[in-house]
Amino acid sequence: MMNGTSNWQVVLTEFCTLGESPVWDDRLQRILWVDIIEGHVHEWYTAARRHVMTHFPVKIGAIALIDDGAVIAASDEGFVFLDLRNRGVKRITDPESRLADNRFNDGKCDAVGRFWAGTMDEVTGKKGAGSLYSLDKDGRATRRVNNVTCSNGLAWSLDHQTLFYIDTGTHQVQAFDFELETGRIANPRAVIDIPESEGWPDGMTIDAAGMLWIAFWGGWKVARWNPYTGEKLSEIKLPVAQITSCTFGGKNLKDLYITSANIGLTDAERSAQRLAGSLFVVDNLDVGGIGPSRYVQRESPSDFATHTIHGH
C-alpha cells in the first residue's frame, strides 16, 4: 500500500471554499461533492468528463443518494431533500431549529438506508454544542450521540456490527456497537488515538479490507488506519493542507476521491497551495472500497413545491 506517495491528480479546476462529502454514484458513474459554505453541489461524470454545479440557498454539510434519483442533505436548515435538476429544496425536519449557531456537518447512510449526520457550532466552535442524529425512512430524526464538538467522519464495519465515528476535537476514532435493524448504538470506546502531529481527523471511509481511510485537516494527507489495532498503516501526501474527506469510486471502486478546502488561508498560504479547494483522485489503489448506501424513504420527495426554502 502507498506510503508517502504523491500519485494524485486533480479531477478538475474548480476550487471549493469548503469542499466535503464526496459520494460515488455507481449507477451514473459520477462523483458528487459539496461546497458547504457556498451551498454548491458538484457532479463530475467520469466517462463524459462533464461537470455540473448546482447552487442552493442553504449550507450543505453532507449529501447522500436516494433510490429515486433525488439527493438528501444535512444542512444549516436541518435535513432536506435537494432537486439537482430544478434547484428545489424541500424541508424534512430540523432537530436543532432552536440552535441558531449550529449547522449540520458530515453525514452518510447506513446499510438499511438511514441517513446519519451530526452538528457543530459554526460560529464559536463551542465545545459539546453538537449532536449526532439518524434520519429514518419516515423522516423522523433521532439523536444518537450528544456533547459533540465537531461531528465528522462516519463508517460502518463490513459486518455492520460496529459504527466508527469522529468528533474532530477528540483526536480519536470512536467505535460503537451497532444494531442494524434498529440503529441503536452502545458501548462507546476509543479505537484509534491520533497524535496531534497528524493533523485534525475529518472525513472518513472504509475499504474492502475493513481498514479506515481518514482525511486530515491541517495534515496535508489522507491516511489508512487499522481500527482493530489502532495502527497507522500508510498515507497519501497531498499538495494542500486542509483535506476534508475521501471516498472510493470508479468502476472497480479502487479510485480514491479526496475533497479539500481553501477557507481561512492567508494570501501567502493560498500562493503556496494553489490547488487548495480542489477535488483530487488517486487512481487504482491496491485495495478497493465499499459502494455507498442510499437513503430509503417512505414517500417520494418529488413534491419540491411544498415547504421550499428560498433563502437563509
Side-chain angles (χ1 to χ4, degrees), residues 14-248:
E14 183 65 48
F15 303 116
C16 288
T17 303
L18 184 51
E20 253 287 5
S21 188
V23 178
W24 176 252
D25 182 353
D26 56 340
R27 299 177 188 176
L28 296 179
Q29 294 291 300
R30 61 175 172 163
I31 184 77
L32 300 91
W33 69 105
V34 305
D35 187 337
I36 296 178
I37 303 301
E38 307 301 334
H40 294 158
V41 176
H42 294 274
E43 304 166 73
W44 175 254
Y45 293 81
T46 55
R49 300 187 62 78
R50 181 168 66 95
H51 174 235
V52 178
M53 181 182 76
T54 309
H55 172 74
F56 294 95
V58 291
K59 293 179 180 177
I60 304 166
I63 56 172
L65 302 170
I66 303 177
D67 282 339
D68 72 353
V71 172
I72 192 169
S75 76
D76 62 341
E77 298 281 352
F79 292 105
V80 297
F81 291 122
L82 302 179
D83 180 348
L84 295 178
R85 299 300 160 251
N86 299 307
R87 305 184 182 221
V89 183
K90 181 180 178 183
R91 192 188 307 272
I92 304 170
T93 186
D94 185 358
E96 296 194 349
S97 58
R98 296 182 180 179
L99 301 176
D101 293 345
N102 277 20
R103 69 160 169 80
F104 273 93
N105 199 43
D106 208 352
K108 197 171 290 183
C109 286
D110 65 23
V112 297
R114 296 183 204 89
F115 186 37
W116 292 67
T119 59
M120 59 178 285
D121 181 327
E122 71 166 348
V123 177
T124 67
K126 181 180 177 183
K127 188 174 181 179
S131 297
L132 176 67
Y133 299 86
S134 68
L135 186 75
D136 293 329
K137 64 182 179 181
D138 61 1
R140 180 175 53 90
T142 302
R143 184 163 67 177
R144 302 292 185 176
V145 181
N146 58 13
N147 197 33
V148 171
T149 301
C150 183
S151 191
N152 251 312
L154 293 156
W156 285 266
S157 60
L158 303 185
D159 63 5
H160 308 298
Q161 293 185 19
T162 305
L163 167 65
F164 299 110
Y165 177 55
I166 291 172
D167 179 357
T168 292
T170 66
H171 279 279
Q172 293 178 332
V173 176
Q174 277 194 309
F176 296 83
D177 296 341
F178 178 69
E179 189 176 271
L180 182 61
E181 183 179 348
T182 64
R184 291 194 188 99
I185 58 174
N187 189 25
R189 66 269 185 197
V191 291
I192 301 174
D193 289 302
I194 297 167
E196 291 188 13
S197 59
E198 298 282 349
W200 298 91
D202 202 318
M204 174 170 62
T205 193
I206 196 164
D207 67 26
M211 301 296 104
L212 298 175
W213 292 76
I214 301 172
F216 283 90
W217 181 275
W220 303 78
K221 66 186 171 218
V222 295
R224 186 179 190 235
W225 297 72
N226 185 330
Y228 304 103
T229 66
E231 177 189 6
K232 179 183 171 183
L233 303 175
S234 63
E235 64 181 31
I236 297 174
K237 294 284 192 181
L238 291 151
V240 300
Q242 295 175 168
I243 306 302
T244 56
S245 193
C246 56
T247 198
F248 286 92

